[in-house]
Amino acid sequence: FIKTVPNPKVVKLNMGNILGFEQGKFPIILRMQAAQNVQLRDNAIESARQFIHHELEANFLGQYYFAVKVYPHHILRENKMLTGAGADRMQTGMALSFGATVGRAALIKKGKEIFVVAVNSEKGVKIARTAMQKIKAKLPCTTRILTEKRAVVI
């Protein structure tokens, strides 16, 4: 039983022209995948989401699709220890420790999609790929970006 669950920091999961994506108006799809198993904190996901969304909105004015494909379900716990002078005599160490909730994380397996961006031009691919390259430093794992082309529905 978990007494308190922290609110997830991920605000939105789908952005841009969602209806246009469902209708197939964006022929080029970029997918960011995890190259290893990782525990991705919700604040890292939200930070990366905000950066990519800002870059896409500034360049495409809503003519794109962007989705976050992971959700932080895993609850992180910490056994908070006292620090300072004399703290060693007041603590019992790890005896019966369960920990207080401190955050959330998404448990991601190797090859799982983290972000998906869909655009409708080769210029858009460069901008979206650059934005995805820039957020790699915000994520605690190595990632790869895959590009896929699909048929356009008119």
Side-chain angles (χ1 to χ4, degrees):
F1 177 72
I2 300 170
K3 291 180 186 175
T4 59
V5 176
N7 293 328
K9 292 180 180 158
V10 180
V11 179
K12 287 180 155 185
L13 298 175
N14 295 312
M15 290 142 281
N17 188 351
I18 299 165
L19 187 61
F21 179 73
E22 291 171 353
Q23 294 173 350
K25 294 182 180 177
F26 299 111
I28 306 167
I29 300 171
L30 287 91
R31 301 176 190 279
M32 179 177 271
Q33 291 182 343
Q36 60 197 44
N37 294 340
V38 68
Q39 180 173 291
L40 189 56
R41 299 251 341 225
D42 59 347
N43 53 355
I45 297 169
E46 179 63 10
S47 174
R49 182 201 71 82
Q50 285 180 1
F51 182 82
I52 293 176
H53 179 61
H54 177 71
E55 290 288 316
L56 295 175
E57 191 62 39
N59 289 298
F60 298 118
L61 302 173
Q63 293 307 309
Y64 65 92
Y65 172 75
F66 174 48
V68 178
K69 292 294 188 177
V70 295
Y71 189 80
H73 290 288
H74 184 71
I75 297 165
L76 302 174
R77 300 175 174 281
E78 181 182 357
N79 183 26
K80 294 186 178 177
M81 304 292 275
L82 296 173
T83 59
D88 56 336
R89 281 174 247 123
M90 296 175 67
Q91 290 224 272
T92 59
M94 292 295 283
L96 300 175
S97 70
F98 190 62
T101 57
V102 292
R104 288 177 164 225
L107 301 176
I108 300 173
K109 303 244 186 230
K110 180 179 178 180
K112 170 83 171 144
E113 291 179 350
I114 302 172
F115 300 112
V116 173
V117 176
V119 293
N120 55 9
S121 68
E122 290 298 326
K123 178 189 165 203
V125 171
K126 284 185 178 180
I127 294 168
R129 183 175 285 277
T130 303
M132 288 177 134
Q133 291 285 350
K134 287 181 180 178
I135 64 148
K136 283 188 172 191
K138 296 179 185 294
L139 302 177
C141 63
T142 55
T143 58
R144 61 177 166 243
I145 301 169
L146 305 175
T147 305
E148 170 190 327
K149 292 187 180 182
R150 65 179 185 178
V152 180
V153 177
I154 300 174

